[in-house]
């Protein structure tokens, strides 16, 4: 199977760095993987989260597309229940006009932060997630030049190309919706380690060709930690292990700790079990081991594209990780 590699980035704050550094590192990473031959570079949307700086991925899309040449740039994803489909369509119509043929519109329905985020983004109201399929349908209609809500308006600027829509999911619940509406689908294994290939199969089985896509396109996103040896990979993975555990415990996470700090932590039995469970969201090892694990993941889920999220310290090690993968997969 010929596997295409893409990148999912969350603009993480690494120990010793600030928010401005995290955003600058996102841009530097995008330029790096563009040169390496990765297919896509997507950025997530997180709110009121100290350790992740990417709260407005559509702005980052514009900044990164301006500084790269070949890689497709998009969101992973815009949290649609918080926003007007019409406004999202216009935002991405502008981006497509600026960088035709290089923009992806990834969307999701998760809150993207603590419970208060839902109310802060919706003027004190809780968003109606049950209308998400309708929102997606309206978004697609606006993108292709229709006026689905009867207001007799167009999402401008109009153009010859349309940014494709990809639906992100971590439970499989939106897989059928993505198929029925003819969008792409990405399963977030890095969020849900219990992910099952049935979600992708449901997407394939329900897919109906649309103006967006004539054929189904599915991918899987996963954390990856690469070391020169298995032992070194475990050392670097200790940072992500601790960060994910802290989040699950409801503690405030100000940054991703360095492996020097994280590897010194002592855990009780329950914490060790939680860390081991979180490893289902990650692939860890030397580059050949990680390559084999990614190939197995692609075969299991029956996809030919993997989105890799490498959060390790220092930042230079993140760049090296993507370089090693690019060489291993002959990008």
């Amino acid at each position: 199977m010929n596997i295409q590699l893409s990148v999912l980035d969350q603009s993480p704050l690494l120990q010793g760095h600030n928010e401005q550094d995290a955003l600058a590192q996102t841009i530097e990473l995008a330029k790096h993987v563009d040169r390496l031959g990765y297919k896509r570079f997507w950025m997530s949307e997180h709110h009121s989260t100290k350790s992740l700086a990417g709260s407005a991925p559509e702005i980052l899309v514009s900044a990164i597309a301006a500084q790269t040449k070949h890689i497709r740039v998009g969101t992973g994803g815009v949290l649609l229940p918080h926003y007007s489909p019409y406004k999202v369509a216009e935002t991405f119509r502008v981006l497509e006009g600026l960088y035709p043929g290089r923009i992806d519109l990834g969307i999701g329905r998760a809150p993207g932060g603590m419970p208060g985020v839902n109310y802060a983004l919706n003027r004190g109201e809780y968003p109606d997630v049950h209308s998400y399929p309708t929102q997606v349908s309206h978004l697609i209609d606006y993108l292709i030049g229709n006026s689905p809500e009867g207001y007799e308006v167009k999402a401008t600027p109009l153009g010859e190309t349309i940014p494709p829509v990809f639906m992100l999911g971590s439970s499989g619940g939106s897989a059928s919706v993505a198929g029925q509406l003819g969008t792409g689908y990405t399963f977030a294994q890095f969020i849900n380690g219990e992910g099952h290939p049935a979600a992708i199969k449901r997407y394939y089985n329900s897919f109906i060709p649309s103006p967006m896509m004539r054929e189904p396109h599915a991918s899987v996103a996963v954390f990856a930690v690469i070391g020169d040896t298995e032992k070194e990979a475990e050392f670097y993975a200790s940072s992500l292990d601790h960060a994910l555990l802290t989040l699950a415990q409801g503690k405030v996470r100000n940054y991703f700790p360095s492996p020097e700090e994280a590897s010194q932590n002592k855990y009780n039995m329950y914490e060790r079990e939680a860390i081991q469970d979180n490893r289902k969201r990650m692939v860890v090892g030397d580059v050949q081991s990680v390559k084999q694990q990614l190939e197995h993941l692609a075969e299991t889920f029956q996809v030919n594209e993997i989105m890799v999220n490498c959060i390790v310290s220092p930042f230079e090690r993140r760049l090296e990780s993507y370089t090693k993968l690019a060489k291993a997969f002959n990008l």
Side-chain angles (χ1 to χ4, degrees):
M1 180 183 291
N2 183 26
I3 299 175
Q4 297 173 314
L5 290 184
S6 294
V7 177
L8 177 68
D9 183 65
Q10 296 174 291
S11 302
L13 269 71
L14 305 181
Q15 187 170 353
H17 295 270
N18 60 29
E19 292 84 353
Q20 288 75 22
D21 294 331
L23 295 174
Q25 287 168 359
T26 285
I27 293 175
E28 186 176 344
L29 177 61
K31 292 161 66 176
H32 181 67
V33 297
D34 181 38
R35 292 190 292 267
L36 291 172
Y38 281 76
K39 184 176 184 180
R40 308 178 200 277
F41 190 91
W42 285 2
M43 289 143 288
S44 62
E45 178 178 331
H46 290 276
H47 300 282
S48 193
T49 305
K50 291 186 177 181
S51 62
L52 300 172
S55 58
E58 64 275 24
I59 295 177
L60 284 169
V61 166
S62 186
I64 285 173
Q67 297 192 51
T68 53
K69 296 180 179 180
H70 308 291
I71 199 166
R72 296 191 65 90
V73 186
T75 50
V78 169
L79 305 177
L80 192 59
H82 295 315
Y83 311 116
S84 152
Y86 178 66
K87 178 58 179 175
V88 174
E90 288 208 317
T91 297
F92 279 79
R93 267 294 190 185
V94 169
L95 290 169
E96 183 70 17
L98 290 169
Y99 312 103
R102 290 186 55 210
I103 302 300
D104 293 333
L105 172 48
I107 56 174
R109 67 175 181 181
M114 299 300 288
V117 165
N118 286 290
Y119 298 103
L121 284 171
N122 293 279
R123 293 175 292 181
E125 300 289 334
Y126 197 87
D128 179 14
V129 296
H130 299 295
S131 65
Y132 178 65
T134 301
Q135 279 190 297
V136 179
S137 178
H138 288 171
L139 172 64
I140 292 170
D141 269 336
Y142 280 127
L143 285 170
I144 64 178
N146 296 332
S147 181
E149 297 176 289
Y151 302 132
E152 299 302 321
V153 296
K154 297 287 185 181
T156 54
L158 300 175
E160 295 181 359
T161 58
I162 303 168
V165 174
F166 296 81
M167 202 174 294
L168 284 69
S170 59
S171 66
S174 57
S176 296
V177 177
Q180 291 163 7
L181 294 178
T183 74
Y185 180 72
T186 298
F187 187 84
Q189 181 81 5
F190 76 103
I191 294 176
N192 178 14
E194 301 296 336
H196 196 276
I200 299 287
K201 186 176 181 180
R202 192 180 309 138
Y203 164 68
Y204 286 145
N205 289 341
S206 61
F207 186 83
I208 300 172
S210 72
M212 227 7 88
M213 290 185 182
R214 304 310 302 170
E215 297 180 350
H217 184 94
S219 59
V220 176
V222 65
F223 285 122
V225 180
I226 303 165
D228 291 335
T229 63
E230 295 285 338
K231 183 177 180 180
E232 187 180 68
E234 287 294 327
F235 171 69
Y236 285 115
S238 65
S239 172
L240 189 54
D241 285 336
H242 181 71
L244 295 177
L245 178 66
T246 300
L247 180 64
Q249 292 174 332
K251 299 176 182 177
V252 174
R253 187 179 69 193
N254 294 313
Y255 55 81
F256 286 81
S258 69
E260 288 80 8
E261 177 185 291
S263 62
Q264 299 303 311
N265 285 310
K266 304 299 181 183
Y267 300 110
N268 61 39
M269 179 182 69
Y270 301 104
E271 290 171 331
R272 289 195 298 271
E273 288 178 356
I275 287 172
Q276 195 59 42
D277 193 54
N278 278 331
R279 284 298 183 94
K280 298 174 184 176
R281 302 158 62 179
M282 307 157 59
V283 293
V284 179
D286 62 34
V287 68
Q288 285 304 316
S289 172
V290 167
K291 179 176 185 288
Q292 291 171 3
Q293 292 177 69
L294 292 179
E295 288 173 338
H296 177 70
L297 189 68
E299 184 178 355
T300 301
F301 278 84
Q302 288 297 293
V303 299
N304 62 5
E305 182 178 357
I306 299 287
M307 305 203 78
V308 182
N309 186 358
C310 295
I311 301 181
V312 293
S313 295
F315 174 66
E316 291 71 24
R317 192 71 195 190
R318 294 187 71 203
L319 299 179
E320 290 173 13
S321 297
Y322 286 107
T323 300
K324 289 178 183 291
L325 271 183
K327 290 179 179 178
F329 280 91
N330 298 314
L331 297 188

